[in-house]
Amino acid sequence: MKTKILIVLLLIACLSSAHAGPRTSTNYNLATDTVDSGGKRATSASYSNDGSVGGLGGTSTVAAPAETVRAGYAGQLYEITGLALNAASPTVNETATDQLAAFQTLDDATFLAVPAATVAWSVQSGPLASISAGGLATAGLVFQDTAATAQGSYLGATGTLALTVKNVNLDDLIGYAADGIDDAWQVQYFGAPPNANAGPAVDFDHTGQTNLFKYIAGLNPLDGSRFTLSIALVAGQPGQKALVFSPRLTDRTYTVTSRPALVSGTYVPLTNPSAPSDAGQQRTIRDLSATGATKFYRVEIIKP
């Protein structure tokens, strides 16, 4: 009888010491374990644990944030649902560069960054000259702000990214570059380059006014329209002349100039003009000092 009592006491002593002390490091802190029946479920308001007896195992879960602990290791459970792309900027100036990046999209609405060099990059559409192996996109030349689409593929998933290539130089499109005319104007009327009819000195519709002049004046170079200037007498004012020109556009600046001879001398602004009078696209200015045997006029147009 005394022997049996001793065995029971020894078993109780073993059970009371069957727990570990606290464990800490720079990355975690585990409190002292408490003794419970091995292999059963323990739960609380936000935590549940399925224990294991006799080996390394068991699973613990936390609802929010969603975490799972298996055999002492915590991990995030997720499924990859796609590939998302982004860029340092959604717009890139023509001939400039823009760094692209890729992220795996997960089923819990979070993302995992993907090294750019591991993605297969390509140009799906638009004026992107190239995309390097490291995801650096280079924009091509454009004559107006133009949409482009980059594409990336990684581990069977493909994503696309919409970009805008900005037209920052109005006169640099190859075939129409550096001729004094906005590339967009030339493309509008003469199509994509090259087209010799779009040259600045060409008078395509034979009006006596060149493409460069018509661009500055705001005219259609194909329909025979032209800028006109007429000189009229002013009733009862022999020393005045009415100068009538058209078309007058609100985004241009017009200066009437004159000189006394047709082929010599310098054109200078009128010294004594009236205030302009506008009727639609027609403007009238009076020269209040139209004296002398001859006087020749012209209108200088500035397009901002």
Side-chain angles (χ1 to χ4, degrees):
M1 186 65 180
K2 290 182 179 180
T3 302
K4 290 181 179 180
I5 292 173
L6 178 60
I7 293 173
V8 172
L9 292 175
L10 288 173
L11 178 59
I12 293 172
C14 291
L15 289 175
S16 64
S17 62
H19 63 83
R23 286 88 78 199
T24 62
S25 75
T26 57
N27 298 319
Y28 70 87
N29 186 344
L30 298 179
T32 302
D33 295 341
T34 58
V35 177
D36 198 354
S37 299
K40 292 185 178 181
R41 170 167 289 192
T43 62
S44 69
S46 59
Y47 180 84
S48 66
N49 178 73
D50 293 316
S52 177
V53 172
L56 192 63
T59 301
S60 300
T61 60
V62 179
E67 293 183 356
T68 298
V69 178
R70 290 180 176 172
Y73 293 91
Q76 177 74 30
L77 296 181
Y78 58 80
E79 288 188 9
I80 298 171
T81 59
L83 188 70
L85 308 181
N86 72 4
S89 173
T91 62
V92 54
N93 293 341
E94 56 183 349
T95 73
T97 58
D98 198 9
Q99 180 62 54
L100 308 184
F103 300 83
Q104 289 178 311
T105 57
L106 310 181
D107 57 350
D108 62 354
T110 59
F111 300 89
L112 285 179
V114 175
T118 64
V119 177
W121 300 100
S122 61
V123 178
Q124 186 180 83
S125 63
L128 293 177
S130 64
I131 305 178
S132 73
L136 189 66
T138 301
L141 288 170
V142 294
F143 64 91
Q144 62 185 7
D145 293 354
T146 307
T149 304
Q151 179 174 285
S153 298
Y154 178 74
L155 297 181
T158 298
T160 58
L161 177 66
L163 299 169
T164 299
V165 178
K166 301 284 289 183
N167 181 33
V168 294
N169 187 330
L170 301 183
D171 193 13
D172 64 349
L173 189 64
I174 295 174
Y176 290 159
D179 58 8
I181 302 177
D182 188 336
D183 299 328
W185 188 89
Q186 291 172 295
V187 171
Q188 176 185 355
Y189 291 111
F190 297 102
N195 186 339
N197 291 326
V202 175
D203 176 13
F204 182 78
D205 55 1
H206 308 292
T207 60
Q209 297 175 349
T210 66
N211 286 335
L212 178 58
F213 178 85
K214 289 197 169 187
Y215 162 67
I216 294 173
L219 299 171
N220 184 329
L222 309 178
D223 65 358
S225 60
R226 59 195 312 274
F227 184 86
T228 61
L229 168 65
S230 62
I231 305 172
L233 299 174
V234 179
Q237 300 292 336
Q240 298 182 15
K241 292 292 188 293
L243 310 171
V244 183
F245 59 87
S246 177
R248 175 203 62 87
L249 305 181
T250 57
D251 63 343
R252 266 70 166 175
T253 300
Y254 301 88
T255 304
V256 179
T257 63
S258 68
R259 68 183 182 185
L262 179 60
V263 295
S264 62
T266 301
Y267 278 98
V268 295
L270 297 182
T271 57
N272 190 22
S274 69
S277 175
D278 297 329
Q281 289 191 332
Q282 178 177 284
R283 170 166 287 182
T284 300
I285 294 179
R286 289 187 183 186
D287 181 2
L288 303 180
S289 300
T291 57
T294 59
K295 199 169 189 178
F296 297 88
Y297 298 94
R298 75 176 183 184
V299 178
E300 297 181 354
I301 307 171
I302 297 176
K303 181 184 184 301

